[in-house]
Amino acid sequence: MTYEEGDSAFYAPDEPLAALASLVTAATVRIHRPAHGYDHHGPDSFLGSGFFVAPNWVLTCAHVALTGERQGEVCQVDVVFADPGGGGVRSVSGTLTAVLPEGESGPPAPGRRVPPPDLALIRLDSPTEHPCAYLAERVSKRFDGGKVIWAGWTEVDGELELVVSARGHDLGMVGSQIRLGDDVLTEGMSGGPVVDPRRGQVIGVIKSRTVGGSGGTAVGTEALRTLPGPPGLLRDEAHDTYQAVCHAHDRYHRDRHHHPGPEDSWTDVQTRLEKSAGRVLGPAQRAELLGLLAELPPPVSTAGLLDLIGRAEGRRGGRGPQPVPAPRSWRDGLGELRETHGGPADLELVLRYCMSAVAAERPYTTQDTPRAEDELWQWVRELARDRLTRSFRGELRQLWAESRERTDREQRRTEPVYGERPRPGERAGVLLELEPRGWELDTYDWRVGVAHFNGEVDAIGDGTGTALRDLTGALAGPLTEAFRQCDEPDEPAVLQVALAQAELGLDVERWSLVPGGPPLGVQRPVVVRCLDPEAPDGGTDEQARWDHLHTVGMRTEDVDCQDGDWVPVEVEERLRSLSHETVPLLCHYAQRPEAETAEGFARLTRTGYRVLLLRRSPGTGPEALCADLHRRAARVVTEARTASQLPGKIHELRKGVWDKRTEAYWSDRVALFYDDPRHPLPGPGLLLNAP
């Protein structure tokens, strides 16, 4: 092992930083191609570094793990590490289980870098005793040039050595990556841990090095939150790799603290480091709480967790701007609480959060769930008894009593006690604005945000001058994050696509964010809105039309088609006279409509129509098929009863087309224009509500 020293000796043996460095090295591993025959895992088979994050789980870089040995769809590696029992070096085979970004499936081509976050999880193929590193619950974005420790394996004079550096500094962020400087990162260290020595927590994974200079980049460990989860409600903890790893990590450190050995644990070292940190919970209390939370089933969804955090912090009118990536687990939520001042109000916030976790709806329950709830309550009660007022302790007892009134604890999904799930009509949705650059054909500026029911929009990402052919690649990350913040397992959030009127035919619902994956319109309801709508004239009551469609009923009206032939949309006086239950159907709306077709749409918006069906003409095939479209569209609109059900109805039809159900084929290329007048679009450049 090699220590890279700073201005003075590395650390005195009795300093907590020396103990921290020892913990880091014990958890750091090297990754090799699988051994065959007479192979001692030397430099020839060495792929890179990694570290244990939970029992039998190794975190590393995707570009390291993907160069393992492939056996069909499975990628195998060997994980080599120091035997904690002092028996020398151990080697255990492992299987690549999860990769970020999603879709990376093989070794990167020569000269190509795996894009961020470039992370991978390896599961050991047999149970093995080993130490685990401690992951920060939240990685601060406010880097200040403070020191960091990093570790990794590299080749030195033909031999593999573990190098630990204490000279590095964080230098801020480049996109989603931490910049590292002031010491040299050498080849083979990719996948090694980056540690904050002030709190004794792993904050990043080494990704790249600067060639010919010092430093490089690391990926913040919070990027693990972007691991894809399974569709629908979780069946059990193992159903979601992210939740399984988080829970195993927190149980390990709680158990390690409860049963100390002859050497320091991460909690012991953190306690010595954090004596003046000022947080409301000390490291031992934090390890205990995270271990208790890990015994509960995870949150049903990120959306529900965000709402729960907002309510715990007293923000009942809305969630407010959220971190990116958004929290998914109970440990993530704890890390997002504003409890850094250490006062009674901060402790009350933490304990309210705990009580929300006790009473939260569950994706599943086990026979141990009631016991886990009771143990967490006992911990909350004991802590409040020593440090908080009688009045607040009474509030906690009331919350506990209310949670015990539930009789549905064994159901797969319980009814929320504190209203974590928003009321109907209050669900957040995702807004994608695509603004064409008039001087550059098929090129767009774009913005992605989370649109709340109160009209506020939180920015997730944006871009300028993106070619149409590159849009899905550029939008994949921001849209996936926005969906994670809004989706429920049984109710995907609506995607609102705001387009210029001349671009309303752009079939965004047919785009796939993952090559070969289902289109957006199959995954969720997708509706279109207009960036530059014609303003309603003085004689129009658009709100009355909107309210009628959402409370009374609907029927379709064919406004540009007669016997399969195109006809111009009627004059505004005639449109204004149609009943408020009318949903216009435009059969001949091309992807880029001609002037008269575009003017017909403008007449509809000027006369107050904010719910329309647009059939994007496919350009081929007999127009006589319009008759079937008229019949089936009229039936679907009638069955939906109110306009709020139409996005879901169109979504079901798109899933039917994807599943090759011929009765749904008529709806192919039918778009729903759904433009809520109560919530106007924020406008160009105004999607700025960011953390």
Side-chain angles (χ1 to χ4, degrees):
M1 183 187 305
T2 300
Y3 290 96
E4 297 291 340
E5 299 179 354
D7 297 332
S8 58
F10 187 65
Y11 295 119
D14 59 342
E15 287 189 32
L17 289 174
L20 177 62
S22 178
L23 292 171
V24 172
T25 59
T28 303
V29 306
R30 63 180 197 254
I31 297 171
H32 291 255
R33 282 186 293 273
H36 295 291
Y38 191 72
D39 188 333
H40 293 291
H41 296 108
D44 290 345
S45 65
F46 175 58
L47 302 177
S49 303
F51 57 99
F52 288 116
V53 290
N56 302 300
W57 287 98
V58 171
L59 178 60
T60 184
C61 283
H63 75 263
V64 172
L66 286 169
T67 52
E69 183 178 281
R70 303 202 71 84
Q71 300 174 4
E73 297 297 318
V74 177
C75 183
Q76 298 287 138
V77 297
D78 281 355
V79 176
V80 181
F81 58 98
D83 189 334
V89 173
R90 296 193 61 183
S91 172
V92 181
S93 64
T95 301
L96 179 58
T97 303
V99 171
L100 290 172
E102 191 180 4
E104 295 288 329
S105 58
R112 176 185 176 271
R113 292 182 178 274
V114 174
D118 190 12
L119 294 178
L121 281 169
I122 296 168
R123 185 188 63 240
L124 300 189
D125 293 336
S126 57
T128 306
E129 292 293 328
H130 57 77
C132 298
Y134 187 100
L135 298 182
E137 302 99 60
R138 181 185 185 185
V139 178
S140 173
K141 296 298 189 292
R142 297 177 179 86
F143 293 98
D144 57 4
K147 279 194 173 185
V148 292
I149 296 173
W150 64 63
W153 287 84
T154 190
E155 184 178 352
V156 179
D157 298 329
E159 299 290 334
L160 294 174
E161 287 193 16
L162 177 58
V163 175
V164 183
S165 170
R167 296 192 301 197
H169 288 75
D170 66 65
L171 301 176
M173 301 292 291
V174 178
S176 60
Q177 299 179 70
I178 307 169
R179 292 191 303 138
L180 302 174
D182 297 337
D183 199 4
V184 176
L185 288 161
T186 54
E187 187 172 359
M189 296 181 75
S190 289
V194 178
V195 180
D196 175 6
R198 290 162 289 191
R199 288 187 170 170
Q201 302 173 338
V202 176
I203 60 171
V205 181
I206 298 171
K207 172 177 168 55
S208 64
R209 62 191 178 95
T210 301
V211 178
S214 65
T217 64
V219 180
T221 53
E222 78 276 12
L224 280 173
R225 299 177 185 179
T226 66
L227 281 169
L233 287 169
L234 297 184
R235 299 188 300 268
D236 52 41
E237 181 180 283
H239 195 197
D240 185 337
T241 298
Y242 180 74
Q243 302 290 357
V245 171
C246 283
H247 284 201
H249 171 278
D250 290 336
R251 286 194 289 258
Y252 168 86
H253 285 288
R254 182 189 182 216
D255 292 345
R256 182 73 177 82
H257 179 63
H258 282 184
H259 304 285
E263 298 159 347
D264 284 333
S265 70
W266 283 81
T267 306
D268 296 330
V269 174
Q270 289 167 357
T271 301
R272 294 162 64 190
L273 290 169
E274 281 200 20
K275 287 181 179 178
S276 61
R279 290 204 295 180
V280 68
L281 297 180
Q285 292 172 321
R286 211 165 186 84
E288 180 70 17
L289 174 54
L290 288 171
L292 291 169
L293 290 170
E295 297 296 337
L296 296 174
V300 166
S301 67
T302 288
L305 178 59
L306 290 173
D307 289 330
L308 184 150
I309 294 170
R311 285 171 169 80
E313 293 181 335
R315 293 182 280 109
R316 302 191 66 86
R319 297 190 319 218
Q322 301 302 326
V324 175
R328 286 177 59 181
S329 67
W330 295 124
R331 81 182 321 264
D332 299 339
L334 181 65
E336 296 302 330
L337 297 180
R338 301 187 181 96
E339 46 91 28
T340 59
H341 297 97
D346 293 334
L347 181 56
E348 289 179 4
L349 171 60
V350 170
L351 298 189
R352 283 196 184 97
Y353 176 76
C354 292
M355 295 309 298
S356 294
V358 166
E361 54 183 337
R362 310 287 188 216
Y364 61 85
T365 58
T366 70
Q367 63 181 9
D368 294 327
T369 300
R371 175 191 55 78
E373 293 172 348
D374 185 70
E375 288 183 352
L376 181 54
W377 159 241
Q378 296 300 332
W379 183 87
V380 167
R381 187 175 65 172
E382 290 300 318
L383 196 59
R385 178 182 298 164
D386 292 338
R387 296 171 58 179
L388 296 175
T389 65
R390 180 184 298 273
S391 173
F392 183 75
R393 297 201 304 270
E395 177 187 332
L396 292 178
R397 284 194 296 272
Q398 179 63 28
L399 293 176
W400 171 252
E402 290 174 357
S403 72
R404 296 309 90 191
E405 292 173 3
R406 291 205 328 253
T407 59
D408 52 6
R409 208 172 292 147
E410 298 303 317
Q411 296 180 10
R412 283 184 58 79
R413 185 168 186 176
T414 64
E415 188 65 21
V417 174
Y418 300 125
E420 294 96 325
R421 197 183 309 160
R423 294 186 294 271
E426 294 186 1
R427 282 285 308 282
V430 177
L431 175 62
L432 166 62
E433 294 187 353
L434 292 173
E435 189 172 358
R437 290 192 158 194
W439 62 96
E440 296 180 55
L441 183 64
D442 289 337
T443 304
Y444 297 82
D445 296 339
W446 56 268
R447 294 172 291 276
V448 174
V450 172
H452 300 285
F453 75 95
N454 60 5
E456 295 180 356
V457 180
D458 296 335
I460 298 295
D462 57 61
T464 58
T466 305
L468 179 62
R469 64 180 178 275
D470 299 325
L471 269 176
T472 53
L475 292 170
L479 281 178
T480 300
E481 174 61 30
F483 296 150
R484 182 167 38 251
Q485 292 196 20
C486 300
D487 283 351
E488 295 288 352
D490 51 359
E491 190 178 358
V494 175
L495 171 61
Q496 305 174 45
V497 184
L499 301 156
Q501 182 181 320
E503 302 278 337
L504 283 177
L506 195 65
D507 51 358
V508 177
E509 73 278 357
R510 299 169 74 93
W511 295 357
S512 297
L513 299 183
V514 177
L520 284 168
V522 174
Q523 295 179 315
R524 66 189 58 255
V526 179
V527 302
V528 294
R529 300 184 67 178
C530 197
L531 282 171
D532 53 352
E534 294 276 354
D537 57 35
T540 295
D541 188 353
E542 62 176 351
Q543 189 64 57
R545 285 193 177 276
W546 178 268
D547 292 343
H548 189 98
L549 291 175
H550 286 78
T551 56
V552 181
M554 305 181 294
R555 65 174 181 83
T556 59
E557 179 79 19
D558 309 320
V559 296
D560 73 340
C561 184
Q562 186 173 355
D563 297 329
D565 296 322
W566 175 83
V567 296
V569 175
E570 297 194 68
V571 297
E572 293 175 24
E573 285 187 16
R574 165 64 177 158
L575 294 175
R576 198 175 291 110
S577 69
L578 296 177
S579 69
H580 281 88
E581 65 186 13
T582 301
V583 175
L585 172 61
L586 291 162
C587 287
H588 300 274
Y589 198 92
Q591 184 167 353
R592 286 194 170 128
E594 297 177 355
E596 180 57 34
T597 302
E599 173 55 29
F601 178 87
R603 284 197 286 275
L604 287 164
T605 58
R606 281 198 299 269
T607 49
Y609 292 92
R610 308 299 286 264
V611 180
L612 302 91
L613 290 173
L614 307 175
R615 183 199 185 204
R616 296 161 176 149
S617 176
T620 59
E623 292 300 330
L625 291 176
C626 286
D628 188 46
L629 173 68
H630 296 174
R631 286 192 300 269
R632 292 180 182 268
R635 185 181 308 153
V636 165
V637 168
T638 301
E639 290 174 351
R641 300 184 65 183
T642 61
S644 61
Q645 303 301 311
L646 270 180
K649 282 286 187 181
I650 300 298
H651 178 215
E652 289 299 319
L653 288 167
R654 287 169 177 161
K655 289 195 292 185
V657 174
W658 178 256
D659 292 337
K660 298 181 173 58
R661 298 205 304 266
T662 55
E663 69 274 14
Y665 283 4
W666 68 272
S667 65
D668 193 31
R669 297 184 182 274
V670 170
L672 174 63
F673 178 80
Y674 192 83
D675 195 22
D676 190 342
R678 301 168 302 175
H679 298 146
L681 295 170
L686 296 181
L687 211 62
L688 301 175
N689 207 14

